[in-house]
Amino acid sequence: MRRVELKQSYDIAIAGSGFAGSLMAMIALRLGYSVVLLEQGQHPRVVIGESSTPLANLLLEQLCHRYDLPAVSPLAKWGTWQQTYPEIACGLKRGFTFYHHAAAEETDPSTSFNRQLLVAASPHNDISDTHWYRADFDMFLVDQARAIGVDYCDNTHVERVECKNAGVRMTGTRHGDNFSLHAQFLMDATGPRGLLHRALQLKNVPLPGYPETQALWSHFEGVSRPPGTSLGQPPYPPEDAAVHHLFEGGWIWVLRFNNGITSAGIAATDAAAEKFGFAEGAAAWTRLLASMPSLQAQFATARPTRPFRHLPRLSFLSEAVVGQRWALLPSAAGFVDPLLSTGFPLTLLGVERMARILESGLASPTLAAELEKYEKQTKDELLAAARLISALYANIGNFPVFRALCLLYFAAASYAETARRLNKPELAQAFLLHQHATFGPEMRGILDRATRVPQASDAARLIEDIHRCIEPIDVAGLGRPNPSHWYPVDANDLLDSCGKVGAIRQEIEDLLQRCGFFETQKAR
């Protein structure tokens, strides 16, 4: 890779060349700014955070369209990705699969409707979501940023950051040589507890009521697929998804890529992490698998391709998100848990908002007010995600309640996606619809009750109230009685719910046609 000579001054400096930093750099360049993208390490590298969602893919697609990034746009769908960039590894994600493993039970949870939840995210592969193999994905975005004119500098260690009215001064070393550069504005995309958190000694703030959690993960070769279900025809192959194996105190993810690699790891409370000995790495993984015979069988001949990585603290929230001539992207401002793949949409919503701020210009008299609004939105959305994940952890051993709580997320996400596709973003301005006039406060009340771990009749009433809460925004048939707990993507659900998004049936039919729902179905 050709080494770029650093200029003394840029309009925009972005620290961190993960997908968010590279995408932000390309957008800033398209808006006419001079941009430098700084990376402490080098590509390719493997990082955690790999599973997209319909809302995340739609946000990526809309950003590419608005800011003229046609080379990146095909990555928003499995079909166009495979047609355009088959050499970039990824995984097919048709939905979310949940299996509940009860303590001291050896029965495979996939053999019982009562111990699983399948929620489809697409009707077929062509418009499916994906798992991003970040080593390939992030390097591709860096290459695209360099190709359109972003100055990319790897092996760059920023040692000091000085923020003043005139801009930001950064000093450090690059490939062992000293450097100093000035930028009018600095964006931090280096992840939780990253560059500005350390350089400016920003404070952490706790996520209210959230359990302390840890993670342990690796990549594997040789993970087998389980035998097909005997329960009937599921809405998608259950393994072509973000697969969640729930146990008391935590959960295991399994994400399959098309290059023979499978990402798998554990997120769990401190108590569960101590019980299984997360600090011991591979030994903890072996102990946990032994308690789940059906999952253990899938990994019987698997081999880790990299050392296990232990993250002793998952959750994080920065007290400050913006400051004098700087801002944290959501991925650097906070992190909750990968349980519902919330990281990508939260980050892309932040990229979208920062892009709109840059459209107004760094000399805009409203810049400070816009940054203050951005900070509030970023924190509020991270806290909304934390409330939901906290309630899910509290009920991870009570699967009927856990399963019902998940519907809050899927109802809000499908409603938001539909509103955006109808060009009605005002209907879903905030993640999880937490600002929605009725759904927002009702959801908060439900989550408060759920966090107190309801039992027996209280749990039954809570589940009923969840179904009542989602009904006004349910455009995906999530509230129908469903003994199988399998939820396919059905066009009729959206057509019958058109009034909930202020649309008529023809508008919904046009939407489905635009997104490829009917065309591909007929071709199959």
Side-chain angles (χ1 to χ4, degrees), residues 194-218:
L195 172 65
L196 287 179
H197 177 77
R198 298 188 303 269
L200 302 183
Q201 297 183 322
L202 303 180
K203 294 181 180 179
N204 299 346
V205 291
L207 295 169
Y210 191 83
E212 300 288 9
T213 55
Q214 304 180 33
L216 179 70
W217 68 279
S218 187

Side-chain angles (χ1 to χ4, degrees), residues 19 50 133 169 200 228 258 277 344 489:
F19 83 90
E50 299 157 320
Y133 184 65
R169 171 69 59 185
L200 302 183
N258 61 0
F344 285 177
V489 173

Side-chain angles (χ1 to χ4, degrees), residues 121-417:
S122 63
H124 52 78
N125 291 358
D126 286 353
I127 57 174
S128 174
D129 301 329
T130 50
H131 305 308
W132 299 350
Y133 184 65
R134 296 288 297 276
D136 286 1
F137 186 86
D138 288 3
M139 188 164 71
F140 172 80
L141 291 185
V142 165
D143 289 343
Q144 290 302 312
R146 292 174 62 246
I148 68 172
V150 171
D151 281 358
Y152 170 66
C153 302
D154 62 4
N155 292 293
T156 302
H157 298 264
V158 178
E159 297 169 357
R160 187 174 181 183
V161 179
E162 299 175 86
C163 304
K164 299 180 180 179
N165 285 332
V168 178
R169 171 69 59 185
M170 286 169 283
T171 55
T173 60
R174 182 186 177 211
H175 294 278
D177 298 327
N178 293 331
F179 80 89
S180 175
L181 69 85
H182 175 272
Q184 291 188 45
F185 199 86
L186 169 63
M187 278 182 267
D188 186 350
T190 57
R193 307 171 185 87
L195 172 65
L196 287 179
H197 177 77
R198 298 188 303 269
L200 302 183
Q201 297 183 322
L202 303 180
K203 294 181 180 179
N204 299 346
V205 291
L207 295 169
Y210 191 83
E212 300 288 9
T213 55
Q214 304 180 33
L216 179 70
W217 68 279
S218 187
H219 280 178
F220 298 82
E221 291 178 338
V223 179
S224 65
R225 284 180 175 263
T229 179
S230 60
L231 297 175
Q233 184 64 43
Y236 58 85
E239 290 288 306
D240 291 338
V243 184
H244 306 68
H245 294 271
L246 311 175
F247 62 93
E248 188 65 45
W251 63 285
I252 292 175
W253 71 82
V254 179
L255 312 175
R256 296 177 182 273
F257 301 111
N258 61 0
N259 60 354
I261 299 294
T262 297
S263 172
I266 322 162
T269 62
D270 280 358
E274 182 177 353
K275 173 184 175 182
F276 290 102
F278 277 21
E280 298 177 42
W285 175 255
T286 300
R287 280 191 288 269
L288 185 51
L289 284 187
S291 70
M292 302 179 178
S294 59
L295 186 59
Q296 185 183 41
Q298 292 184 47
F299 283 82
T301 60
R303 302 168 303 281
T305 63
R306 56 187 302 104
F308 277 85
R309 185 176 178 193
H310 175 216
L311 304 177
R313 184 61 58 234
L314 266 182
S315 62
F316 166 77
L317 181 62
S318 176
E319 183 177 51
V321 176
V322 302
Q324 194 171 50
R325 291 285 163 172
W326 60 265
L328 307 179
L329 289 185
S331 55
F335 184 76
V336 183
D337 192 279
L339 181 56
L340 291 174
S341 305
T342 56
F344 285 177
L346 284 170
T347 294
L348 289 166
L349 283 166
V351 169
E352 180 183 63
R353 289 166 183 152
M354 284 304 307
R356 296 299 178 95
I357 290 172
L358 293 184
E359 285 184 25
S360 299
L362 296 176
S364 169
T366 64
L367 177 63
E370 289 173 344
L371 288 173
E372 184 178 343
K373 180 181 179 182
Y374 167 82
E375 178 176 59
K376 185 177 188 310
Q377 290 172 317
T378 299
K379 283 186 173 181
D380 285 351
E381 290 185 338
L382 284 164
L383 290 170
R387 280 192 293 270
L388 175 56
I389 302 299
S390 180
L392 288 169
Y393 265 98
N395 292 276
I396 210 161
N398 186 342
F399 192 53
V401 173
F402 180 97
R403 189 164 46 201
L405 289 168
C406 287
L407 299 183
L408 293 167
Y409 168 77
F410 292 117
S414 56
Y415 184 92
E417 181 193 359

